Amino acid sequence: WKESRYFEDDPFFPLDVTITFPYAGTQLVWDTREDPLLGTRGLLASVDLQGSGSWLGSSFSYARAYGQVNVYHPVFSFGAGRAIWAQSVRAGYARAFDGQELIPDVRFYAGGSYSVRGYPTESLGPREDLGGTLFATGGSTLLVVNEELRVPLHPRLLGVGFFDVGQVWASSGDFGTDLATSVGLGVRALTPLGV
């Protein structure tokens, strides 16, 4: 059960809409990683399907699919440990029915440190100009690919080299166009609380 309120204080076109919609979904997960926080070997794959419509008593009809595959391979010994190649592919598609538009809660967003690094959080894809400021509106189709090499520098430090590519599109017909890419280096510290 979900409730979303959309409000815009515009003197000419004020908006105040609350959409309440029940939805149904399922998620399938396969996880063979030996460490869920910082995998060094194994696979994480998941598929998430959800939807809503009049068949559930909802005034908003949609279907949404999201899947991801993350693979971790030890590649060579380096210093006191092993270098790890981490790969991730995430893809999603959502569609509204009955002449409706996708609401922001079910759209996809990309960009940021857990997506396409080097871009501000949720900044990729379609944008809307609101008073001279561009805001990401999200889209119906998503693709994010991350390639990462992790090299141990010290028992508590990892060096990271990465290549990311991805985008969010308003329409699936635009899939694969205008891909955002980033390449970078970083250092991660392992602490008792996490990375």
Side-chain angles (χ1 to χ4, degrees), residues 28-43:
L28 303 171
V29 178
W30 180 266
D31 190 353
T32 63
R33 298 171 298 169
E34 86 300 346
D35 180 355
L37 184 61
L38 191 62
T40 58
R41 179 186 310 274
L43 167 86

Side-chain angles (χ1 to χ4, degrees), residues 16-179:
D16 191 356
V17 176
T18 300
I19 299 173
T20 302
F21 59 100
Y23 66 96
T26 187
Q27 186 176 54
L28 303 171
V29 178
W30 180 266
D31 190 353
T32 63
R33 298 171 298 169
E34 86 300 346
D35 180 355
L37 184 61
L38 191 62
T40 58
R41 179 186 310 274
L43 167 86
L44 168 66
S46 69
V47 175
D48 183 30
L49 305 170
Q50 63 177 249
S52 186
S54 58
W55 51 277
L56 276 175
S58 174
S59 59
F60 177 59
S61 300
Y62 78 99
R64 185 179 195 265
Y66 173 78
Q68 68 175 340
V69 176
N70 301 324
V71 181
Y72 306 90
H73 300 284
V75 286
F76 57 85
S77 294
F78 187 87
R82 295 198 49 95
I84 306 299
W85 189 259
Q87 303 170 292
S88 174
V89 176
R90 287 170 275 172
Y93 176 72
R95 180 174 176 201
F97 298 101
D98 300 331
Q100 298 173 325
E101 289 187 26
L102 285 176
I103 61 175
D105 284 11
V106 298
R107 292 179 190 162
F108 295 102
Y109 298 87
S113 58
Y114 298 101
S115 178
V116 181
R117 292 166 276 197
Y119 294 87
T121 301
E122 298 183 351
S123 66
L124 297 177
R127 288 180 248 174
E128 184 178 359
D129 186 349
L130 297 174
T133 304
L134 291 176
F135 290 94
T137 60
S140 70
T141 310
L142 165 79
L143 175 67
V144 174
V145 178
N146 307 105
E147 299 289 337
E148 180 175 283
L149 180 64
R150 302 174 187 159
V151 178
L153 302 175
H154 182 271
R156 294 267 180 218
L157 289 177
L158 292 175
V160 178
F162 66 85
F163 172 72
D164 296 340
V165 61
Q167 190 57 274
V168 174
W169 298 277
S171 165
S172 61
D174 297 327
F175 183 82
T177 62
D178 195 29
L179 288 168

